[in-house]
Amino acid sequence: MPWHRLRRPQVLKIRGLLEEVYQPATANRMLSALRGVLKECWQAQLMTIEDYQAATNIPAIRGQSEARGRHLSARELRSLFEACSPSSDGGFGQDSHARRRRDAAFLALAYSCGLRRSEAVAIDLADLDLVRGELRVRRGKGRKPRQLSLPPSALPAVQDWLQIRGPQPGPLFCPVLKSGRLQRE
C-alpha cells in the first residue's frame, strides 16, 4: 500500500467508512493507527509536512456506544442469593454445597462493594481483612489499587465461604470440582 500517497480527501473517505462500520472507539483507534503510519511516512520524507498535517488533522469520530450491562432489580438480586442459599440444591445434589457458598460470597462482595467481575475474581485471601472490615483491590480499573470498607451485610456470606475454603494463601474464590473438593493452584 503506498501510504505516502494518501491525502486529506482519501483519509476523510476512510474516516467515513470506519464511522459506518465500527463503534466510535474502535474507529478512532484505527484512525490513530493511520495517523501513526502517515507520521512515519513524513519522517521518512516520503510526504511533505503540509500533506502530512492536512491528512492527519481530521476530527475524531463522535458518538455514544450502547450501554453495556444493566442494573439488577431487587427481585432479580434476591433470586440470585436464593439460588445460593443452603436450602436450595438447584437439582445439583450435595456436591454443590461448596459451590453455592462460594457463589454467595462472590455475589455479596461484588454487589456490596461495587466490584467489577475482573476485580472480584482477582481478590486474594491476603487482600481481605475481616478484623478491620476492609478489602484491598489490587488491580482495579486503570490498574489502580483501592481500599474498600466491607459492608456488614456481606460478612456472613464471606465468613461462611472462608469456613469451607480454609486459611491457605491464594485466590479467595477458587474453583469447586463436581466432587465438592476445592481446586487449589
Side-chain angles (χ1 to χ4, degrees):
M1 170 70 188
W3 296 101
H4 63 282
R5 291 188 183 164
L6 283 179
R7 297 297 180 258
R8 184 175 177 82
Q10 291 91 12
V11 174
L12 286 172
K13 184 166 181 121
I14 291 169
R15 181 191 180 278
L17 292 170
L18 292 174
E19 188 173 19
E20 290 175 15
V21 176
Y22 297 100
Q23 292 290 321
T26 304
N28 284 324
R29 250 192 324 273
M30 292 177 177
L31 286 174
S32 178
L34 178 59
R35 285 184 189 100
V37 169
L38 293 176
K39 183 176 183 180
E40 289 299 319
C41 291
W42 167 67
Q43 288 178 336
Q45 298 179 346
L46 297 174
M47 62 191 316
T48 66
I49 186 70
E50 292 83 14
D51 289 336
Y52 163 70
Q53 287 177 338
T56 58
N57 190 19
I58 57 172
I61 296 172
R62 301 282 179 225
Q64 292 183 332
S65 300
E66 290 184 27
R68 294 178 65 188
R70 63 180 179 81
H71 292 285
L72 295 176
S73 69
R75 182 175 171 218
E76 290 171 315
L77 192 59
R78 193 172 23 260
S79 293
L80 281 172
F81 278 105
E82 285 172 2
C84 297
S85 71
S87 60
S88 163
D89 81 356
F92 296 110
Q94 294 300 325
D95 65 328
S96 66
H97 174 77
R99 206 172 295 134
R100 286 194 310 263
R101 300 283 199 240
R102 180 203 58 201
D103 294 350
F106 183 89
L107 281 171
L109 272 183
Y111 179 74
S112 65
C113 294
L115 299 176
R116 294 169 178 84
R117 286 176 298 183
S118 60
E119 294 171 341
V121 298
I123 296 172
D124 210 64
L125 183 62
D127 299 330
L128 189 63
D129 185 348
L130 293 177
V131 175
R132 292 195 321 223
E134 293 180 345
L135 174 68
R136 181 175 55 216
V137 177
R138 294 176 193 234
R139 290 172 251 157
K141 186 173 182 178
R143 298 182 183 222
K144 294 180 183 174
R146 66 184 197 273
Q147 198 79 11
L148 302 171
S149 295
L150 285 173
S153 59
L155 290 177
V158 172
Q159 290 169 331
D160 195 28
W161 165 241
L162 287 174
Q163 287 178 353
I164 293 169
R165 185 203 175 282
Q168 299 85 347
L172 180 62
F173 301 111
C174 54
V176 179
L177 302 174
K178 286 184 179 181
S179 65
R181 259 183 350 120
L182 304 184
Q183 182 180 355
R184 301 190 195 278
E185 297 177 281

